[in-house]
């Protein structure tokens, strides 16, 4: 899909999202930004392991993952504006990943309950391999001290959706019942700092100002 640049109907910019995340695509499309979805194939586990060895923090890792995804897709789509994004969850110095099964989802929720954790969402924009812009958003979320029985009932209700997000929750749905306090931008929590990204697109006349 393409977006016409203001003041020059003959020129267009194709916008590509280098992510398989349905929520990120939905956020952009609901904001009126047409995007093509081209998931990047990267070894996230290897990069995380390497950055942990280098004593990088979660924000640095999220930014590196977003940049790597955008770079891989930008190399394949010349001229396109490529958006890469990634999100990290850190609690007490531990990085949490998407759970691979129900047992891991349950373990994550038990580890996070009664504590405050940080979500870091990074976004970067490339064109023809060159970095044009990047941003890192942070949010702090506190889970209430729910019971093991609540975890079981929650996972029963959520089903496979619990495996689709880091921390085994979606704050926009049933996951809101896990929390006692949330401090931060809603879109950052969903995995895409949307308002700063829209500001960038407006400043560069990709979308109407």
């Amino acid at each position: 899909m393409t977006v016409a640049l203001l003041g020059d109907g003959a020129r267009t910019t194709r916008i590509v999202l280098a992510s398989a995340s349905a929520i990120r695509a939905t956020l952009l499309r609901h904001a009126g930004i047409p995007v093509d979805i081209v998931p990047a194939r990267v070894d996230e586990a290897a990069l995380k392991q390497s950055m942990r060895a280098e004593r990088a923090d979660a924000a640095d890792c999220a930014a590196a993952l977003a940049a790597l995804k955008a770079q891989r897709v930008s190399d394949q789509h010349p001229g396109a504006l490529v958006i890469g994004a990634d999100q990290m969850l850190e609690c007490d110095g531990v990085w949490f990943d998407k759970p691979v099964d129900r047992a891991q989802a349950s373990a994550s929720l038990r580890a996070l309950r009664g504590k405050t954790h940080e979500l870091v969402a990074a976004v970067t924009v490339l064109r023809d391999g060159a970095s044009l812009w990047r941003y890192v958003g942070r949010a702090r979320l506190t889970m209430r001290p729910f019971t093991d029985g609540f975890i079981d009932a929650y996972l029963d209700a959520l089903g496979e959706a619990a495996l689709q997000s880091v921390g085994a929750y979606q704050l926009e749905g049933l996951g809101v019942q896990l929390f006692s306090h949330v401090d931060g931008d809603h879109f950052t929590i969903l995995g895409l700092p949307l308002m700063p990204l829209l500001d960038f697109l407006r400043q560069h006349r990709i979308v109407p100002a």
Side-chain angles (χ1 to χ4, degrees):
M1 296 181 183
T2 57
V3 177
L5 294 175
L6 294 183
D8 187 352
R11 297 174 58 199
T12 59
T13 296
R14 180 177 177 233
I15 300 179
V16 175
L17 178 63
S19 171
S21 169
I23 187 64
R24 291 187 182 114
T26 298
L27 290 174
L28 287 166
R29 286 169 174 162
H30 283 181
I33 309 300
V35 292
D36 290 334
I37 310 302
V38 183
R41 307 301 178 189
V42 300
D43 189 341
E44 295 190 25
L47 179 58
K48 288 179 181 179
Q49 183 177 6
S50 174
M51 297 204 72
R52 286 293 277 184
E54 296 171 4
R55 299 183 182 276
D57 62 17
D60 288 337
C61 187
L65 284 165
L68 179 59
K69 291 176 180 179
Q71 186 71 57
R72 290 284 174 85
V73 173
S74 184
D75 290 343
Q76 301 166 6
H77 298 272
L81 201 71
V82 178
I83 300 170
D86 204 87
Q87 186 179 57
M88 296 284 292
L89 188 160
E90 182 175 25
C91 183
D92 293 339
V94 177
W95 294 357
F96 286 72
D97 294 314
K98 291 181 182 179
V100 298
D101 54 27
R102 180 187 171 113
Q104 196 173 95
S106 180
S108 292
L109 292 172
R110 291 197 304 273
L112 294 170
R113 67 181 168 187
K115 298 179 181 178
T116 298
H117 65 263
E118 184 174 62
L119 279 177
V120 180
V123 58
T124 188
V125 178
L126 274 68
R127 177 184 275 140
D128 294 327
S131 178
L132 303 180
W133 178 81
R134 61 181 181 174
Y135 180 88
V136 175
R138 299 173 182 267
R140 291 176 62 80
L141 300 88
T142 302
M143 284 193 177
R144 62 184 184 83
F146 40 77
T147 65
D148 286 348
F150 180 86
I151 293 176
D152 288 338
Y154 168 78
L155 293 176
D156 285 343
L158 206 59
E160 291 296 312
L163 311 183
Q164 302 306 310
S165 62
V166 63
Y169 64 83
Q170 291 91 34
L171 191 69
E172 68 275 19
L174 192 61
V176 71
Q177 294 197 34
L178 300 169
F179 294 91
S180 60
H181 184 74
V182 173
D183 182 14
D185 172 62
H186 176 68
F187 298 109
T188 292
I189 294 169
L190 295 184
L192 184 69
L194 184 60
M195 288 186 283
L197 176 59
L198 291 175
D199 282 343
F200 165 80
L201 295 174
R202 283 190 291 265
Q203 289 168 12
H204 287 74
R205 302 176 66 200
I206 305 300
V207 298

